[in-house]
Amino acid sequence: RRGGAPPVPPLEALCSLATGNRRYLKSVGREQGESYVLKALAGGGQLPAAVILGCADSRAPVELYFDMQPGDLFVLRTAGNTIEGGYGGLLGSAEYAIAVLKSKLVVVTGHTMCGAVTAAVKAVLANESMPTENLGIVVNNIRAAAEKAIEQLPGAPVVEQVKLATKINIFETMQKMMKHSKIMQDGLASEELMLVGAVYDIEEGSLEWIGPHPEQESLVGTTLHLHRWREAPYVPKAMPSSNSKVRAVLDRLRQGNSRWLQKVFVENQDVDMGDGSITKIANRIRRAFGFANINAPLRADIILVGSSTMRVPYEQVFDSKPGEMLVQQCMGAIA
């Protein structure tokens, strides 16, 4: 990402990160550090798509497990992926990326088997302090998360308490960022900025996305309609029994998909033309459309909004006839 290009929308950046991790898992990542990329960045400046606050653990290489090129990510790393008291260079660096470099996505990433989180949990259990002041600062930043995890899982194995503390610690860091950064507060309030958490599995190489902070609205201090829409659980509603026309259309779609799965397509079925001749349904439909009044209104009773991927041919998947379905395709199936 070079300077001068438009900022990457937060959802697009998030999709790029998730896709990059899938490439990393399959060992089909892009070649890193190609000379033309480096030269372009040196001459054109940077425009990172996302800010990543991750752990300094050498087993959690941020750019690699997201399979991103130089210039794609603005990476901040510290032991335990936390911020001391919510102030200092890490938060200021994140603000620089948001305000100056126009990054629209911030991701706080923890990881499994984190040494800093494990140390915090064990310190709370044993009521011990760290051997040096600086180590104590690191662990104390995670102590609140460790205490909450132990309180929620009393008597559980340490490994389970560490797993929970890892997630809580991510949310604690997100909370500090929102509480102490006006730039982040404003960006989240306008819903131009997105802040989410993730846990990297150092054994599998996969990511568990844990989403935004559950109390983001109260922390930002405003109603976030898009945030509510994203986070609200999908609750299917029963269709009114009186809506027979809609039920008939849905039944047609189900039947069409069943034909698609069985490879028995309606266009290959024979039909009597009324003059003693037999032809395929598809031919009769084509004739009807060929002789139809071009000014006649379109009467498709199905509007389908789907993704623009060419791997899903919707008319074929539902075995629909010409004129039966109006299909709109766009990236992400977002109307």
Side-chain angles (χ1 to χ4, degrees), residues 17-52:
L17 294 181
T19 303
N21 181 246
R22 298 302 299 177
R23 290 194 301 268
Y24 175 74
L25 282 172
K26 296 180 179 179
S27 299
V28 291
R30 299 179 294 179
E31 184 176 347
Q32 297 292 323
E34 294 181 282
S35 59
Y36 79 92
V37 174
L38 302 179
K39 290 178 181 179
L41 288 169
Q46 61 174 323
L47 191 72
V51 180
I52 312 294

Side-chain angles (χ1 to χ4, degrees), residues 80-82 117 141-142 145 164-173:
N81 47 272
T82 187
V117 176
N141 286 330
I142 309 172
L164 179 58
T166 297
K167 294 182 179 181
I168 296 174
N169 183 51
I170 291 171
F171 287 130
E172 291 282 323
T173 299

Side-chain angles (χ1 to χ4, degrees), residues 4 13 38 55 67 86 101 169 195 198-199 236 266 275 288-290 318 330:
L38 302 179
C55 182
D67 189 35
L101 303 180
N169 183 51
L195 173 62
V199 179
V266 66
D275 57 2
F289 271 79
F318 292 108
C330 51

Side-chain angles (χ1 to χ4, degrees), residues 163-214:
K163 285 181 182 179
L164 179 58
T166 297
K167 294 182 179 181
I168 296 174
N169 183 51
I170 291 171
F171 287 130
E172 291 282 323
T173 299
M174 295 165 69
Q175 180 172 336
K176 292 175 185 176
M177 298 177 88
M178 287 184 280
K179 181 179 179 181
H180 298 289
S181 172
K182 184 67 164 57
I183 287 176
M184 293 199 69
Q185 290 173 9
D186 292 344
L188 292 167
S190 65
E191 302 195 271
E192 293 183 3
L193 181 69
M194 194 172 180
L195 173 62
V196 298
V199 179
Y200 173 68
D201 189 318
I202 64 172
E203 290 184 291
E204 302 293 333
S206 59
L207 281 163
E208 178 188 358
W209 296 95
I210 61 175
H213 196 288

